[in-house]
Amino acid sequence: MELAHSLLLNEEAYNQLGEVQKAEFIFEWLSYLEKLLLATSRNDVKEKQKTLVEQLLSLLNSSPGPPTRKLLAKNLAILYSIGDTFSVYETIDKCNDLIRSKDDSPSYLPTKLAAVVCLGSLYKKLGRILGNTFTDTVGNILKAMKSAESQGRYEIMLSLQNILNGLGAAAAPCHRDIYKAARSCLTDRSMAVRCAAAKCLLELQNEAIFMWSTDLDSVATLCFKSFEGSNYDVRISVSKLLGTILAKATISKHPGTAASRQSIRRVSLEEVLEILGTGFLRGSSGFLRASGDMLKGTSSVSRDVRVGVTQAYVVFVSTLGGAWLEKNFAAFLSHVLSLVSQSHPKATQTQIDAVCCRRCVSFILRTTIGGLGEKAQLAAVKDIFQAIWKLKKVMDAVMSDGNLDTRLGSTDTAASQHMLVCALQELGNVIYSLGTTVAPLLQDSSTGLLDSILSVIPHPSISVRLAAAWCLHCIAMALPSYLTPLLDRCLERLSGLKSSPEAVTGFSFAVAALLGAVKHCPLGIPHGKGKIIMTLAEDLLCSAAQNSRLSAQRTQAGWLLIAALMTLGPAVVSHHLARVLLLWKCVFPASPKDLETEKSRGDSFTWQVTLEGRAGALCAIKSFVSHCGDLLTEEVTQRLLPPLPCAVDLLTQLSSILKTYGSPLKTPSVVYRQRLYELLVLLPPETYEGNICAILKELAADLTAPDTQVAASTFLLPPLCHQDDLLILSPLLQETDHRFIEEQLLLGNGIACGSLEYDPYSVYEKDVEGDSVPKPLPPALSVIGSAAKLFGVVCAHVGVTQRLLILEQLLDRIKHTKGARQQVVQLHVVSSVSSFLKYVAGSKGCLGPEEMKRFALTLVTGALESPNALLRCAAAEAWARLAQVVDDGAFTAGLAQVSFDKLKSARDVVTRTGYSLALASLHRYLGGISSSQHLNSCVGILYTLAQDSTSPDVQTWALHSLSLIIDSAGPLYYVHVEPTLSLIIMLLLNVPPTHAEVHQSLGRCLNALITTLGPELQGNSTSISTLRTSCLLGCAVMQDNPDCLVQAQAISCLQQLHMFAPQHVNLSSLVSCLCVNLCSPYLLLRRAVLACLRQLVQREAAEVSEYAVMLAKDSREELTSGNISCLISHIISCQVGAALRPAFTSETPPHVTAKACQVCSAWIASGVVSDLNDLRRVHQLLVSSLTKIQAGKEAPSHLYNESASTMEILAVLKAWAEVYIIAVQSHKNHRQPLKTTTCLEDSIRYGSCSSDGLLDLVYTDLGTLSRLWLAALQDFALLTLPSEFASQLPAEGGAFYTAETSENAKLHYYNSWALILHATALWLTSTGFVVADPDEGASNLSRPVTPTSMCQGSSSGATIKSPEDVYTDRFHLILGISVEFLCSLRSDATMESITACLHALQALLDVPWPRSKIGSDQDLGIELLNVLHRVILTRESPSIQLASLEVVRQIICAAQEHVKEKRRSAEVDDGAAEKETLPEFGEGKDTGGLVPGKSLVFATLELCVCILVRQLPELNPKLTGSPGVKATKPQMLSEDGSRLVSAALVILSELPAVCSPEGSISILPTILYLTIGVLRETAVKLPGGQLSSTVAASLQALKGILSSPMAQAEKSHTAWTDLLRSALTTILDFWDPVDETHQELDEVSLLTAITVFILSTSPEVTTIPCLQKRCIDKFKATLDIKDPMVQIKTYQLLHSIFQYPNPAVSYPYIYSLASCIVEKLQEIDKRKPENTAELQIFQEGIKVLETLVTVAEEHHRSQLVTCLLPILISFLLDENALGSATSIMRSLHDFALQSLMQIGPQYSSVFKSLVASSPALKARLEAAIKGNQQSVKVKIPTSKYTKSPGKNSSIQLKTNFL
């Protein structure tokens, strides 16, 4: 294909290719040429123009396919527009000659069509340049059209559209001729031709004024005719034409002279609307004289005309625009509503017509109003309300008529009902979409909107009553605060107007609709409403029999209320379940005998009421099972079952009852059946197995009932077809923007659309398609759907014999019915058997004996050959399900063979389509049959069918089936990829664009092939490259297809290609294509665009946005991120208070206040507050929220559920808790003493927020808050108790929740408790558990909120507890909640909760009193440690583990304090004199043993080992396989790891203090092993001689252990001494070169450890000769190490040892190392220090010598001074040397001089004698002192001089920073 990329066609390469490759090559060349021509210079084009024109024209004769001819035409036009135009006339003549040709053979047709397309393209591009040639061209084309077939007519219309577009007004001479031709095409039998004609006329009307003036009526009539028998695309195109023309007629200001203006008809808005209305009401006969049918009132407008006109209304308004609609809305609304008014009774003469017309009117209103702005929509609400009010006035006048017959028969009432329904539904929709914006309008008492809607509810028409109820539902959804008041008003009227049948049903509908809204409103309704509704429902049911006029209405209303109540869920229903079950039990006879008695004594009316009541009861139980599954326990199920057998008995008796009492019972009996079937589908089959055979018989009778005339395939079958297969059927089955009205065409003329009045019980259910009004189908249809579904379940659970019998009966019924009836029965039976097969396949069941297979196969085979395409589709699915259920290879192969045979022999479309899909379905469900031979056969047959150009349907189904086989075959298909791709490209290039459905299937095949190739598409081999090029070419062809669904397929294919081979997809052109199609009128195309964009931005966001920005040509200046962040923080600081203030008013809904509190606390906690005044403003809002919630649950809002109040209170308390926690942390960080008064003057004066400012603000309300927090925690503790303690919970609930709403409240407590717990613990810490008066500072509380057990000043008169008891309760509350939460962490436990809980424990144990409680209760401490151990094991977060370790440390501290206290008490009690005989305290008394589970120390050791071994696995002897510390390379831990290890070591070092002497001996080896092990594993050499944090921690821990009192205790002294010596030996052994690893250990770390041993243990540990010698050797060795930092650290360590007060320890080191140090210092004189490190070595050495002088015995002191002084003097410099000396030497000089100044006076006699004996030393000393004095004089002015610039630079720095 690379050879195709040239300006001229590479004819040599072209001629070597086969036919299919030639077509591909030409298309590739033309695609490339289009881009190349635009990028080539004009001169280069002119140079090659002649040859290029010849090549392009020669292609006209090569039968180019539709995409090729389109590209060919485009290139010719571009070529002439860039190059010379002198030969264009020859080209036009040639094209005209080709069109005139008499050759009518099919092979010549592509050439003719290509010539037509070329002409259109040339005129479009060159326009008026072509002069007057167009008259001949147009004449020629129009003449050709007379004999053209559909493809020709299609291309001619599009070509004429292009000619008109290019010529503009210049084409006026031909306008009438084109108009005449297009008129005939607009009613063409080919739908594609109609669409093309509509596009041509749309272009024509731009210049042809007569179309929207004089000929306006005839154009409209023509469009109405075009709608007849149209498809979706035609309706889209023609409605666009009609709407645009009418819009133009409405607003046009006609040009021209006065004379011409007079001859042009002017059209008013009323006339235009009249034209549309006529089409809507009378169809295409609207402007003709009324025919006989019209006069008789028998003709009816076809639905497709009505739907087309409906779309034209929408186009008309959208063309005129929002401003026009806003201005003319009242007139438009009046007209649209009048379409269903009494003025036009024909539109609503039957219920089916009425429902369909109402739906059209609703669509017009919804689509037009939905496009307006908010302000205009509010105005529309008022207009709609005015219309409702006027209609209500008319109704009121009629209803006030005293004559009952007049009232009920009034045409006004009957006819106005449809207008009211449309107006009310649209009012609800607009209010719902506006949301809270509409609140002021509803609050406006002068409008009285709500009152008017409520007053419409008792309308005589049930449709109006339901529409008004739904409108209230929408209002409640938009404004949840209106839900409860509306419910109250409806309940009040329902109670008060029980004697009015209309009011009873109307207000019960309203209540049910409002209850349906509750589940969508997060705040719910008060719990008590459930009780009121239940009582009212019972009352209605009980009083139904009292008044026969009201029996049916009261019965329906009662059960409707109960059914709607069930939607409130288990929390509400559980309280009323017993009463509901009792009513359910009572509604059916107790036995079959009672049922017989009923039959004998009833009449038509009583049976009507009875059936209504029982259907209602079934519906209520169905609602219960659907919405309250949690309550469906074994016990409840058993109580539900008894009435079921009787319900089934009545089902079997219905036909005889119907015969007895006639047609009035027909609908009630159908509804009863439907309700029972719906309930049985939901229940497990076991619950009705005793009646299962009876049910099956009834189902079979229903499915084959003789009076069922309507074939409702479009609602029965889609659920039984595979979703992918529906794509090959009517586009109406796919989702479109017009689905709401197009649905009525889908269902067919005999079936109504769904509407609310068909099933009032659906008023409380959510519509499946979103938030629009529910659309239940008529009962006669719904019952078939339910029966088919139930049949699948029941048939699977009956015995095999019964199953065979029923299937045989069903087959017989199909055979014995004829004509249309047979189709209906077949449809029902196939639906049922498909449902059965689907159920059995899903439940892995068994079909039964061979006979069953035969029956099922006969049934499905018959359906596969049905003329109904949807039935064939469902049958193909059932065919595969049958094979799946039988699960036998031979049977499956047999089915496949049947398909092969049928496809080979049959020639009719029905058989070929049905069996091709059946074959593919087998592959989809049973991939195992994909043997290569079988696959070859399938592919071969489908290839043949796909090329059957005589039948586009066969091609479509075959290609769709091929796509399924490609998908299911997977890698097996790889051998077929190349030929399949060739076939797809060949068809894409040749199938006419009029057959869009074939192209759609081709797109699915290409998509499946790309998926099969997958990542291999990235390859570079020749074969892969060819395949990839073909795929891209296929995508290009589909992108250029006029059908939107084909374009959607192209985008989907490109998306796949981009996933597998992104570098080969041109992102720029793809993004531009996507952006263009974002505004497509086709929903599925927009979805494909969005899906593709989503993938692109995930992988190449930058490039996509770059291309999109280039497309948008957006030149707006970009803000830098820095500017944005500055701007945001400034806006927040200024506006946060103002923005949040409205959320804290008393009427604000609780969830808004809750969210606002969250924002406040987050803002304060974020730390962005710099100004205390800002802080104060937001704090004040929180204060107002605190005031709002103080009434608690005892003053609840009557608008929402009690749990909403709980949510609000807890949100406020949580926000305060967060602020308090932040305040305390901030205060701690600044280490300022806690203020107890509100002193903010300083903070305010400096305009900044000090750390205490926030705490001071919170402190004022802390008294109130603490009590509320404690109350909330007690509530939480109660709610988290296991269910077995439910009986112990307070009957009235807790402080902030009621008992009835406890389940709902739990969630809110779970969201808030953790921070409240932390805050409470901090508050208790701050008081130290010693608050004198808990009510202090809380005088503004309106009531005590804390339960009595909290001792919070309850007024109940209960016994006041002692402070100790109060503290104990609080302590156990916090501890209990924490332990309960931490011991069983759920997977959804948040980090925030766990951290807050641990911090609360830390705060609690920060003060002595709680520590004493933990310390004195060892079991409690152990329990807590075990819980913390579990947290550490289950949570990897370092912050959580660290927090846990801190709590562990505090527990150990508590235990230590307890042991110390016991020892102190014992000392005091026994007297100091007898101290030696004191009893021992601590763990491990006598034996030293620690019992797991009983020992605090053991639990702590377990936890610490867990932490240490996780970070340093080498510490575990089991892992290392060695009992000792194994030598491995030391490692540096992460920062988190280091902190964890350090924390664990701190805890370990504290453990001996908790033990008795014996116990300490038990644990010491473990503690030493771990501590020294950490030292060994982490002693990494760091730069600068630093110690790693873990080494530092281990040394600190070692020091703590070594200095433990247990080392000196009488009972443990000896053992400790031995163990400590062993430990020291271990450390010394680290140095011994067992292997090379010792070289990597840090000598400084080890030497420090030795020093710790020397200084911290008793002398007897380290002074034994063998150990002492080894230690001294190590010091000697390190002094010889060249590393200066090691030497410095060694000197520092020796310095501390030499100072040790016990000579037995220090002297051996002094004796051994002093001379060595002196020698090293003397060497420095010869080797001058060159850097600061060497200088420091000297300084540290001198310090050591100075120490020696201090600690030496008197007689050695002078000797040491005599050694020291010469060394110091040797570093002095004279005046000359000082000036030129390096900074290092000068520093050395200064240090030496300073030391001499200090030592000289102390040892003056030695100093004098030394100076006197050595003149050289004296001279050097004097010169140095003299030089030093000179330098001081020079330095002083210098320092003064340099001070100023420093200051300036500081200021400069600040300025730059700011």
Side-chain angles (χ1 to χ4, degrees), residues 23-74:
E24 273 192 63
F25 190 86
I26 290 295
F27 186 86
E28 184 69 23
W29 173 59
L30 291 170
S31 299
Y32 183 76
L33 182 62
E34 184 187 354
K35 299 184 189 96
L36 190 62
L37 282 173
L38 295 170
T40 308
S41 69
R42 187 181 289 269
N43 290 335
D44 289 351
V45 170
K46 284 181 178 178
E47 196 180 313
K48 303 272 177 69
Q49 184 171 354
K50 188 179 177 189
T51 315
L52 199 49
V53 168
E54 286 170 5
Q55 285 185 334
L56 289 169
L57 290 176
S58 70
L59 291 177
L60 284 174
N61 294 315
S62 63
S63 299
T68 309
R69 64 180 175 239
K70 197 171 172 183
L71 263 180
L72 168 61
K74 202 185 278 187

Side-chain angles (χ1 to χ4, degrees), residues 1705-1723:
V1705 174
S1706 59
Y1707 275 27
Y1709 290 89
I1710 293 171
Y1711 293 147
S1712 305
L1713 300 169
S1715 57
C1716 177
I1717 292 169
V1718 171
E1719 283 171 20
K1720 285 193 169 294
L1721 290 173
Q1722 286 171 340
E1723 283 173 18

Side-chain angles (χ1 to χ4, degrees), residues 565-598:
L565 187 67
M566 297 297 137
T567 63
L568 300 184
V572 175
V573 174
S574 58
H575 299 278
H576 312 296
L577 187 54
R579 290 154 74 190
V580 173
L581 291 174
L582 185 62
L583 288 168
W584 158 246
K585 182 183 172 187
C586 297
V587 81
F588 284 101
S591 66
K593 190 178 174 186
D594 294 345
L595 182 60
E596 286 300 321
T597 312
E598 269 190 351

Side-chain angles (χ1 to χ4, degrees), residues 708-756:
T708 309
Q709 294 297 332
V710 177
S713 59
T714 42
F715 91 93
L716 264 183
L717 294 177
L720 297 167
C721 300
H722 196 283
Q723 281 304 106
D724 295 349
D725 298 344
L726 294 176
L727 298 170
I728 55 175
L729 301 170
S730 164
L732 297 181
L733 284 166
Q734 298 161 17
E735 276 195 78
T736 65
D737 293 319
H738 305 93
R739 179 73 187 262
F740 185 74
I741 45 167
E742 292 281 338
E743 205 170 50
Q744 55 190 282
L745 304 177
L746 185 66
L747 290 164
N749 275 340
I751 305 174
C753 300
S755 184
L756 203 47

